[in-house]
């Protein structure tokens, strides 16, 4: 047997003997009255520390779950932010502009000592011709666009269809501003257009807003070509307009 192996065996035996001596001394201490009290207190404190460690472990697990949830939420918010930035940079040009009007009155602008006069409702004045509301065609929604048959819309995009609606509305507004304008203030060009508009009206278009191809050419830059008529067909499908024919004219009525 090598000397190194003998040294290891001796060290192991001595270690065991040392542990036995410590155990005997601790057993003798536990039999003394003062030592028993101290050992009992130490035991109680160990139990309390063990409970605290269990609570700490549970709290650590909860914090880890919270951290993971926050990471997922952060990733989701980053995706939403990218989507919002993309939408912000690609706003469809046909969307109406929002204008904010301030009609509220500050309390500080009113004299608290003076009574506020409330006007009694009188006879509503009839709006002048310039103030009449002109009916416009609503834009196609994405849901309606998705419902258009593929053979009908072909390669047309959502924005292209709504761009045409925007131009048709421009023609409608321009036409009926002239019709609502006092004749005395009309120029010769406007007066000629006015008479043409009146001649194009029929009993079927009475009370409705409509345009003809001449109005599209007069007030917009749209080309009245095959693509234009394909879009008109889509607008009829989506119930944005109807056609009234007669006298060699096709009238596109806003519905």
């Amino acid at each position: 047997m090598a000397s190194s192996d003998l040294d290891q065996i001796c060290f192991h035996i001595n270690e065991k003997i040392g542990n036995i001596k410590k155990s005997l001394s601790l057993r003798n201490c536990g039999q003394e009255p003062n030592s028993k009290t101290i050992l009992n207190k130490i035991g109680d404190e160990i139990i309390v520390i063990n409970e605290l460690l269990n609570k700490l472990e549970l709290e650590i697990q909860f914090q880890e779950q919270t951290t993971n949830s926050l990471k997922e939420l952060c990733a989701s918010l980053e995706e939403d932010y990218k989507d919002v930035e993309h939408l912000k940079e690609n706003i469809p040009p046909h969307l109406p502009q929002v204008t904010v009007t301030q009609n509220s009155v500050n309390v500080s602008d009113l004299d608290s000592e003076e009574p506020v006069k409330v006007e009694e409702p009188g006879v509503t004045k009839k709006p002048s011709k310039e103030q009449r509301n002109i009916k416009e065609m609503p834009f196609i929604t994405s849901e309606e666009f998705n419902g258009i048959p593929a053979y009908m819309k072909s390669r047309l995009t959502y924005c292209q269809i709504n761009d045409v609606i925007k131009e048709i509305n421009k023609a409608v507004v321009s036409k009926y501003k002239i019709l609502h304008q006092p004749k005395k203030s009309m120029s010769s060009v406007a007066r000629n257009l006015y008479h043409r508009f009146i001649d194009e009206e029929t009993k079927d278009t009475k009370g409705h807003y409509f345009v003809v191809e001449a109005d599209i050419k007069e007030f917009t830059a749209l080309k009245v070509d095959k693509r234009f008529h394909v879009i008109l067909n889509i607008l009829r499908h989506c119930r944005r307009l109807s056609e009234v024919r007669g006298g060699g004219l096709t009238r596109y009525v806003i519905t």
Side-chain angles (χ1 to χ4, degrees), residues 143-245:
E143 184 178 354
E144 288 176 313
F145 178 78
N146 293 332
I148 299 172
Y151 75 88
M152 186 178 294
K153 62 185 177 184
S154 185
R155 295 182 179 179
L156 290 170
T157 65
Y158 171 78
C159 290
Q160 287 173 336
I161 296 174
N162 279 324
D163 284 342
V164 171
I165 291 179
K166 182 179 179 180
E167 292 300 307
I168 292 175
N169 286 338
K170 179 181 176 182
V172 172
V173 171
S174 299
K175 171 183 176 179
Y176 283 90
K177 277 185 177 179
I178 294 175
L179 285 172
H180 296 166
Q181 183 180 348
K183 293 181 182 179
K184 293 181 180 179
S185 62
M186 288 183 182
S187 64
S188 58
V189 175
R191 191 175 292 108
N192 291 335
L193 289 172
Y194 175 86
H195 290 302
R196 176 171 71 80
F197 298 155
I198 296 299
D199 292 340
E200 291 169 350
E201 291 184 355
T202 67
K203 63 179 181 178
D204 295 325
T205 61
K206 187 176 181 180
H208 299 283
Y209 291 87
F210 72 93
V211 290
V212 298
E213 290 186 3
D215 301 326
I216 301 296
K217 296 176 181 178
E218 179 72 29
F219 299 114
T220 74
L222 287 176
K223 293 182 179 179
V224 183
D225 52 10
K226 182 178 179 181
R227 176 177 174 272
F228 175 75
H229 286 93
V230 170
I231 294 178
L232 290 182
N233 190 33
I234 291 173
L235 297 180
R236 285 195 300 272
H237 172 78
C238 296
R239 298 182 180 180
R240 290 298 191 275
L241 57 78
S242 60
E243 290 184 359
V244 174
R245 298 176 183 269

